Amino acid sequence: MTRNNYSFPRDFLWGAATAAYQIEGAWNVDGRGESIWDRFSHTEGKVNNGETGDVACDHYHRFAADVEIMRRLNLKAYRFSISWPRVLPSGRGPVNPAGLDFYDRLVDALLEANIEPFVTLYHWDLPQALEDMGGWSERDTCGYFADYAALMMRRLGDRVRCWATFNEPAIVSFLGFRTGQHAPGYRSQRLALQVGHHLLVAHGMALQSMRAIKSDSEAGIVLSLWPPEAQSDTPELKASAEKLWQKDEAWFVDPLLRAHYPVLGWQEYGDDVPEIRPGDMALISQKLDFIGVNYYSRKLMGPDGQISPVPGSEHTEMGWEVTPSSLRKLLVRLQEEYRCPPIYITENGAAVADRVAEDGSIHDERRISYLRDHLVAVHNAITDGVDVRGYFVWSLMDNFEWAFGYSKRFGIVHVDYATQERRIKDSGLWYSQTVRRNGFQLPSAGEPSEPLVETAR
Ligand code: IFM
């Protein structure tokens, strides 16, 4: 049988990702302060079913067992975020020693299991005390963020190499301040764009404050990219796809990698463009050690210029079209059009309506195919010359999916929220096997396929 061999580079960092508010729970214990997501989820009508992250996966109390699961999955790295209000309950001022201890113990447990910790400083849970002072619409918040970044670097920098400042600034800005679907729930494009600018300024200030403490760590930022594509090759459609790229995606890529906002996007936003102070763009476009790319799907522009997926195409439970080939194109574009630093795929995964079989197994073939096909795309991009250093599945385990509550399951590990029991899904078995083999082989077209998971449960 002929096979296609998808072997990844030596030292490729295979991991899985989570975020503090989505898994930790323990929202009001051991001195943790309130975050904007506590306030938002406790407000009626904001989250599906009135669900909250109060308990979530109770990872705060169960982290040691969770690290043991990661070890069984053969993970080489674990991307997690730090809850700012857990370590600084008011966002600034007095620290919470119990919060710092928690992350100390987590990092030590990971290192003990030979798993590299990959830290995200901001995955959406701003301390409510800072929100009460204006939050991200106030420029002062950038300075508080830089101080918090320095605190964490002082505490964990001896053991953590990779640091991401923000997770998905575009989602923070657009969903938190333009559509209101996320905390803090404002609906103003102008505010969203000013907040977006402040997030980038805060990123630049944090790079400086972290590098002043430790110059040899790797610091970057994680962007969520949904590349617009035209359904057909007409000049009008291609132009509207490009306009959307500039307004939604390049709006964050260009300041970081080209030191200016995209020209067409700037024109399109008219009077809503942000106020920029002298020196901001240099601060924002400092050297990055890596860019994290979170990829889930593309935005396909239909003939009417609206986003409309091809009828009959496959979608995940989020309603997101499954389009692995667009990931390869995106990575190549980042390489060719931008002087892009090394890339980590910091999130990629699928929400699937999983069913626990009577014997406790979860046969999530759709998730396995999704992960496999996207890994093929990553492999192809590497072959095209893109410097991709690692890949993190979203997510290690089922968790609180923001405004969707617990209704969407992205994990390669199943969580029974009533008992907190964890079960490794077939996708988890497949992924552990892939990590162990540093890739996989696939039969060539026309050859019979083999079972996806060989590992015995
Ligand atoms: O769950 C989120 C994560 O917090 C950020 N990126 C997208 C994921 C799936 O929606």
Side-chain angles (χ1 to χ4, degrees):
M1 186 193 293
T2 46
R3 288 160 183 277
N4 293 316
N5 193 4
Y6 294 94
S7 266
F8 283 74
R10 219 162 51 87
D11 298 332
F12 192 73
L13 204 58
W14 295 96
T18 63
Y21 189 73
Q22 296 181 271
I23 64 163
E24 282 182 7
W27 75 288
N28 61 356
V29 306
D30 291 348
R32 178 184 177 281
E34 188 189 12
S35 81
I36 54 171
W37 266 96
D38 297 310
R39 182 68 63 91
F40 192 73
S41 66
H42 290 157
T43 306
E44 209 187 314
K46 299 295 186 192
V47 175
N48 181 50
N49 247 336
E51 287 163 347
T52 71
D54 292 3
V55 178
C57 307
D58 196 29
H59 172 75
Y60 182 75
H61 296 114
R62 296 166 192 266
F63 77 90
D66 289 337
V67 171
E68 176 54 25
I69 293 174
M70 296 179 218
R71 204 188 51 73
R72 281 170 53 202
L73 291 172
N74 296 323
L75 297 190
K76 294 194 173 169
Y78 173 50
R79 174 176 173 244
F80 62 96
S81 79
I82 290 175
S83 158
W84 185 351
R86 196 179 290 291
V87 296
L88 284 163
S90 305
R92 60 192 184 132
V95 301
N96 176 28
L100 288 170
D101 284 352
F102 169 68
Y103 294 108
D104 251 345
R105 285 183 282 129
L106 174 59
V107 165
D108 287 345
L110 289 167
L111 293 175
E112 178 76 12
N114 238 330
I115 298 169
E116 174 159 5
F118 190 117
V119 165
T120 305
L121 288 167
Y122 188 82
H123 201 125
W124 308 356
D125 44 359
L126 184 75
Q128 181 64 39
L130 292 184
E131 177 62 25
D132 294 342
M133 294 164 56
W136 288 117
S137 50
E138 286 297 324
R139 201 172 158 111
D140 286 351
T141 304
C142 305
Y144 302 138
F145 180 73
D147 292 346
Y148 153 60
L151 169 74
M152 295 319 303
M153 181 59 93
R154 259 185 245 109
R155 184 72 177 218
L156 302 177
D158 58 337
R159 286 156 290 157
V160 174
R161 177 177 61 114
C162 292
W163 296 79
T165 53
F166 285 89
N167 181 70
E168 304 182 349
I171 304 296
V172 175
S173 149
F174 295 149
L175 269 61
F177 293 84
R178 188 164 71 186
T179 68
Q181 290 156 284
H182 280 187
Y186 291 102
R187 290 195 180 140
S188 153
Q189 172 158 281
R190 193 189 175 122
L191 184 58
L193 296 178
Q194 191 61 57
V195 162
H197 185 67
H198 287 162
L199 298 174
L200 291 173
V201 169
H203 156 81
M205 289 171 67
L207 287 186
Q208 287 183 335
S209 70
M210 292 195 292
R211 284 177 175 153
I213 293 163
K214 202 156 186 299
S215 53
D216 62 348
S217 58
E218 288 188 23
I221 186 167
V222 170
L223 303 179
S224 138
L225 295 171
W226 296 69
E229 288 177 15
Q231 231 178 56
S232 65
D233 235 8
T234 65
E236 295 77 22
L237 264 194
K238 281 165 73 181
S240 55
E242 177 57 23
K243 200 190 288 172
L244 196 61
W245 166 262
Q246 294 209 11
K247 288 179 74 180
D248 284 2
E249 323 298 324
W251 193 256
F252 289 88
V253 182
D254 286 22
L256 290 160
L257 298 181
R258 290 181 168 158
H260 60 78
Y261 282 98
V263 176
L264 185 57
W266 188 268
Q267 281 165 9
E268 284 289 311
Y269 280 132
D271 290 344
D272 289 340
V273 294
E275 184 206 326
I276 301 177
R277 296 200 187 161
D280 279 0
M281 299 317 289
L283 187 64
I284 292 170
S285 59
Q286 283 166 81
K287 176 181 173 281
L288 288 169
D289 298 309
F290 67 85
I291 280 263
V293 172
N294 291 357
Y295 177 83
Y296 290 91
S297 185
R298 65 177 173 182
K299 290 173 183 162
L300 192 64
M301 313 292 296
D304 52 359
Q306 299 297 313
I307 299 170
S308 46
V310 183
S313 56
E314 190 188 347
H315 292 77
T316 68
E317 285 298 297
M318 295 296 282
W320 298 343
E321 191 191 3
V322 179
T323 51
S325 58
S326 303
L327 173 57
R328 176 184 188 171
K329 280 190 253 172
L330 168 69
L331 294 172
V332 169
R333 181 172 192 178
L334 289 173
Q335 175 92 353
E336 283 178 356
E337 290 185 21
Y338 295 86
R339 290 215 317 262
C340 191
I343 293 173
Y344 290 99
I345 306 300
T346 32
E347 286 181 28
N348 177 240
V352 173
D354 296 320
R355 211 178 53 80
V356 183
E358 267 183 21
D359 64 357
S361 51
I362 296 116
H363 303 304
D364 55 340
E365 289 91 356
R366 287 186 61 203
R367 183 174 289 106
I368 298 178
S369 323
Y370 181 99
L371 299 177
R372 184 200 56 206
D373 294 349
H374 284 78
L375 277 164
V376 167
V378 173
H379 191 275
N380 288 338
I382 294 174
T383 309
D384 293 337
V386 186
D387 185 3
V388 185
R389 302 268 171 102
Y391 174 94
F392 292 78
V393 177
W394 185 270
S395 175
L396 171 68
M397 56 184 145
D398 297 334
N399 59 48
F400 177 81
E401 177 54 25
W402 307 110
F404 294 92
Y406 295 97
S407 63
K408 308 290 178 200
R409 292 182 179 270
F410 276 90
I412 56 173
V413 173
H414 181 271
V415 177
D416 179 333
Y417 295 112
T419 61
Q420 291 296 344
E421 193 182 341
R422 276 74 160 139
R423 287 191 183 93
I424 297 180
K425 303 180 191 178
D426 281 0
S427 58
L429 296 175
W430 177 83
Y431 193 60
S432 66
Q433 175 181 289
T434 299
V435 176
R436 186 162 44 79
R437 297 176 177 169
N438 199 31
F440 45 82
Q441 294 189 331
L442 294 178
S444 305
E447 302 275 3
S449 56
E450 295 170 342
L452 288 168
V453 182
E454 288 169 20
T455 320
R457 203 162 260 287

